[in-house]
Structure formats: C-alpha cells, structure tokens
Amino acid sequence: MQTAEMKLPHIVTPLPGPKAKQIVERDHRVVSPSYTRDYPLVAKAGRGAMIEDVDGNTFLDFAAGIAVVATGHCHPQVVEAIQKQAADLIHMSSTDFYYPGMVQLAEELAAIAPGKDPKRVYFGNSGTEAVEAAMKLARYRTGRDKFIAFYGSFHGRTIGSLSLTASKAVQRTKFGSLLAGVFHAPYPNTYRGAYGVRPEHAAADALAWLESELFKRVVAPEEVAAIFVEPIQGEGGYLPAPPDFLQGLERVCRQHGILLVADEVQSGMGRTGKWWAGDHAGIEPDMICVAKGIASGLPLSALIAKADVMDWEPGAHASTFGGNPVSIAAALATLRLLGGSLMANASLMGDRIFKQTADWRERHKIVGDIRGKGLMIGIELVRDQKTKEKAPEFRARILQAAFEKGLLILGAGENTLRLCPPLVVDEEQVDFALRTIEACISEIERTL
C-alpha cells in the first residue's frame, strides 16, 4: 500500500475509478449474484483502518470486513505470525492429528470465556459452522431436538443456522423446508419495544412472551435443547439486549435444563470493550459461538463450551480445515493484540462516539436512535421521530454519499447504519467519520 502512513481518506478519481469499473463489470459476468454490494469499492490493499482501491483512492474503513479485521488490515504482528507459520506447516488436519498452536489457542479461549467451569473448544472455519456445531452438540448433550431463536437474529446461511436466522426473508426464500423444531420469539427492542409496544418494558415483555406464550402454547420447555441469542443483534440492526433480559434468559434456561448459546460471532473478541458482549450482563452461557474477529481476517471459528457439555465421542463432529495452523497462528497474534491495548481502545473510542453523537437526535430529525457498546454502534434512521417510521432510503443514500467522501460503512437491519471499524482507530479517524456521517445526514435533511 503506497499510502500506508495515511490516516484519512484521499480520493483521486471519480468513483468508481476506471480500473474499478472494469473489475466490477468482470465480476458481474462470473461471480455469484447472491452477494450484496452497497457501493463499488474494489479493494487492493489495506493498512490499519485504511483501504486503498485499485485506482489509488484511499478510504477510512468503518466496516472492517463486517467486523472481521479487529486488529486492522495487515497488522505487522499478525502478518509476521502468518508468514512464519506458512513457512513451517500450512495444513495437516486437526481431525486426525495434533498441533501445538491449537492446544494453546484452546487454552487461551477457555481462559477468557466467562465463568469458572472448565471449557473445551471446537474449531471450524466460519460463524455458521460454529452455530451448526452448537446445534449438533446441544442435541447430543440434552437428547432434545427443539431450538429457540429470536426475530431479527442472524446466525448464518447454512441450513441449520438459517433455520435459526430470522433477519430478512430473502435469506430464506426459495430454499424449501428448513430444519424442523425451530421456534422464534420477540427480541427486546428498547427503541421500538415488542411489536411497537412499551419499549421501556422490552426486556420484561420479551421474557414474559417466552414463558407465557411460547412455552405454554407452542413448545414445552422440556423439549428444547438450546436457546440461541445474540447479546447484540448484528444483522437485526445492532440492537443490544438489556442486561436484565440476558440474565432472565439464563435463569429460564437453568430452570428448564435448556442450554444457553451466546452467538458472539460479530459481538465477541473485544469489539464491545470486553471479550464478550455478554460480559456486560455478567452471564455465563453454556456455549459461545466465535468467528469474525478471532483471526484478523483468516477463516477460523470456535465453539467454546463448558467441558461437561462438550462430551461427544470421537467422530461425532469434525472439520477438515477447522483450526488450520496458519489461521491458528493469526488468532494467537490477534488475542495478544486485543488483550494488550485494542480492547481497551474499543471502549475509549466507543465512548468518544457516544459523547459526540449525544445531541444528534435533538439536532437531526432523521436520527431515531443511537445504540451499542464499544465499537459496535448502530445509528437508526427514521422519517419521523414521533412515529419512528423507518427510512431505509435515507440509509442507502448515506452509504453512497459516505463512500464518495472516502468513508466505508455498512447497513444493518432495515434502516440502521453500522459502525464497526477496526479496533485500531484513533481519535482523529473517529472524528473524521462522525463529521462525514453528520454531513451526509445534513445533506438529506436539506432536501426534506
């Protein structure tokens, strides 16, 4: 990256540039049309929180590969770990053999998992694989075959995890019957409430619905193997669950012998200022699904479970590439960096964002809600603050306008801006991002 030392964007061509246009055209001919692209960024190189495209334009990245590159793009320590491991051993398959690095990473993940119970760790390649493993293990451990997830949730796109997912209909359309025995409950939305009612009682209402409606009318709790919950919903709109909801959910699970599975694929690995978003509520899940930020961009996932829960026998579940030595090396370097300073930086920079946006709802009539933890923050856009009418078209315009100004952001849910930058961002970069987003918001408001 020629502009490695740059900390702020520098746009040198109209967007997309000529080389980017050519690649986009080629992409449209040969790559699956199922991918979603909000704007035509064609990335060439990255350093820290900066991305350079094929035409030499540089952008400030507040998307981080959908919260994946936690330590920033191509962190020198991660690159060094990858290069060293690739020169020694690329693959042997942990299904059949042992790796020193795998044992070390499992020990370190077990050490940062909540609670004092001993833990065991299963390794896969992606978030959906971690969720699938959790579903299989829950059935194996409990002898039950039913699951509960929440409306607005995203747990993956393979058939089992897709059965839990209830984010967007397009993700399930035309794929036929999914896994039987999956039920969904309302997630506590503290801005809109359950079905638009009583947002101030969102947690209590969601728990009451689970126990008084779902358990009494639809599925008996003694048939439920596990409840899957995102402590902060990702694709659902960056919605944090209130601590009392997560604590109540844990109580319900303990009462009925149900396993509590925290999907921390997007919210984990220090992004919220703690190792796990559930740590803010003090919960101790039976299983935690981990991916995205665990290896700074290399494919790796983990299922961390209490040792007495992960009791399946050899051959019950495995993965050829899960726990690849190079990905493991990247993850070990990532953990050192997150625990060293980056997790604390996520908390500091998150506080800075919340402080600087504290009056946005008073100054900007299309800003409905600003929420999240650390560097996992959502800004919900509305047409009217009183009616809370959703404004997905405003969100689309802001994504495009921010791109043209050199800022990369993504959406979440129907109408929310998703801020999930690398945890290396500094004050100058945070301030630039907020100035840019606010300018885009003001541009829209001038047209209303």
Side-chain angles (χ1 to χ4, degrees), residues 201-230:
H201 299 292
D205 288 348
L207 288 169
W209 195 94
L210 181 69
E211 296 189 87
S212 64
E213 296 294 329
L214 192 61
F215 284 164
K216 289 187 177 181
R217 302 178 187 275
V218 182
V219 59
E222 59 266 22
E223 292 190 328
V224 177
I227 295 178
F228 284 74
V229 65
E230 296 167 275

Side-chain angles (χ1 to χ4, degrees), residues 259-288:
L259 296 176
L260 177 61
V261 183
D263 184 337
E264 295 262 14
V265 168
Q266 188 163 175
S267 60
M269 302 311 300
R271 175 153 293 280
T272 66
K274 294 181 180 290
W275 282 116
W276 316 108
D279 287 348
H280 294 278
I283 61 170
E284 298 180 11
D286 298 290
M287 300 185 230
I288 301 175

Side-chain angles (χ1 to χ4, degrees), residues 20 23-24 39-46 50-57 59 61 73 403 408:
I23 293 173
V24 169
Y39 40 80
L41 172 74
V42 181
K44 175 185 177 182
M50 302 302 296
I51 282 287
E52 181 181 339
D53 76 0
V54 292
D55 292 290
N57 299 295
F59 301 83
D61 184 7
H73 295 281
F403 169 62
L408 307 178

Side-chain angles (χ1 to χ4, degrees), residues 216-252:
K216 289 187 177 181
R217 302 178 187 275
V218 182
V219 59
E222 59 266 22
E223 292 190 328
V224 177
I227 295 178
F228 284 74
V229 65
E230 296 167 275
I232 300 179
Q233 278 196 345
E235 300 304 311
Y238 272 34
L239 287 169
D244 54 336
F245 172 76
L246 294 174
Q247 294 158 3
L249 202 60
E250 185 176 29
R251 173 187 55 78
V252 168

Side-chain angles (χ1 to χ4, degrees), residues 34-35 44 59-60 62 81 106-107 152 178 210 222 245 280 293 320 355 370 418 427:
S34 61
Y35 299 148
K44 175 185 177 182
F59 301 83
L60 176 60
F62 258 56
E107 289 172 341
L178 301 178
L210 181 69
E222 59 266 22
F245 172 76
H280 294 278
T320 299
K355 182 178 180 180
I370 301 175
R418 174 194 336 222
E427 294 179 355

Side-chain angles (χ1 to χ4, degrees), residues 7 15 75 104 108 134 189 193 264 346 351 385-386 410 415:
K7 291 174 57 178
L15 298 177
H75 193 288
Q104 182 182 347
E108 294 190 17
N189 187 324
E264 295 262 14
D351 289 346
Q385 289 180 337
K386 291 183 178 179
L410 294 171
N415 58 314

Side-chain angles (χ1 to χ4, degrees), residues 118-345:
K119 307 295 192 303
R120 289 184 179 272
V121 183
Y122 169 85
F123 291 105
N125 303 284
S126 64
T128 193
E129 289 186 30
V131 171
E132 295 276 357
M135 296 178 78
K136 290 180 68 176
L137 180 56
R139 282 185 166 185
Y140 188 101
R141 180 67 179 84
T142 65
R144 306 175 182 183
D145 65 350
K146 306 295 193 301
F147 298 103
I148 294 172
F150 294 90
Y151 291 117
S153 65
F154 183 87
H155 297 287
R157 289 185 170 93
T158 49
I159 290 297
S161 64
L162 181 61
S163 304
L164 299 174
T165 292
S167 178
K168 300 180 179 71
V170 67
Q171 294 162 349
R172 300 163 66 104
T173 300
K174 296 186 178 181
F175 295 117
S177 298
L178 301 178
L179 191 67
V182 176
F183 305 93
H184 289 89
Y187 189 86
N189 187 324
T190 56
Y191 175 56
R192 296 181 176 276
Y195 303 107
V197 179
R198 301 191 343 154
E200 67 277 13
H201 299 292
D205 288 348
L207 288 169
W209 195 94
L210 181 69
E211 296 189 87
S212 64
E213 296 294 329
L214 192 61
F215 284 164
K216 289 187 177 181
R217 302 178 187 275
V218 182
V219 59
E222 59 266 22
E223 292 190 328
V224 177
I227 295 178
F228 284 74
V229 65
E230 296 167 275
I232 300 179
Q233 278 196 345
E235 300 304 311
Y238 272 34
L239 287 169
D244 54 336
F245 172 76
L246 294 174
Q247 294 158 3
L249 202 60
E250 185 176 29
R251 173 187 55 78
V252 168
C253 287
R254 301 290 175 261
Q255 177 182 348
H256 297 292
I258 299 169
L259 296 176
L260 177 61
V261 183
D263 184 337
E264 295 262 14
V265 168
Q266 188 163 175
S267 60
M269 302 311 300
R271 175 153 293 280
T272 66
K274 294 181 180 290
W275 282 116
W276 316 108
D279 287 348
H280 294 278
I283 61 170
E284 298 180 11
D286 298 290
M287 300 185 230
I288 301 175
C289 299
V290 191
K292 288 193 183 294
I294 191 173
S296 295
L298 266 65
L300 182 68
S301 66
L303 174 64
I304 309 170
K306 294 180 178 179
D308 62 351
V309 171
M310 192 172 280
D311 64 349
W312 44 17
E313 61 186 345
H317 194 55
S319 167
T320 299
F321 292 102
N324 170 271
V326 181
S327 295
I328 291 283
L332 289 168
T334 298
L335 279 172
R336 288 194 298 271
L337 290 163
L338 295 176
S341 64
L342 296 187
M343 184 162 57
N345 189 60

Side-chain angles (χ1 to χ4, degrees), residues 320-382:
T320 299
F321 292 102
N324 170 271
V326 181
S327 295
I328 291 283
L332 289 168
T334 298
L335 279 172
R336 288 194 298 271
L337 290 163
L338 295 176
S341 64
L342 296 187
M343 184 162 57
N345 189 60
S347 182
L348 287 172
M349 294 301 103
D351 289 346
R352 187 176 184 88
I353 291 173
F354 281 114
K355 182 178 180 180
Q356 294 195 28
T357 59
D359 64 348
W360 277 21
R361 279 160 287 205
E362 287 70 44
R363 294 196 295 109
H364 296 291
K365 59 185 178 183
I366 70 169
V367 174
D369 193 31
I370 301 175
R371 57 193 176 236
K373 293 283 187 183
L375 288 176
M376 187 175 185
I377 296 172
I379 302 174
E380 184 164 349
L381 303 171
V382 296

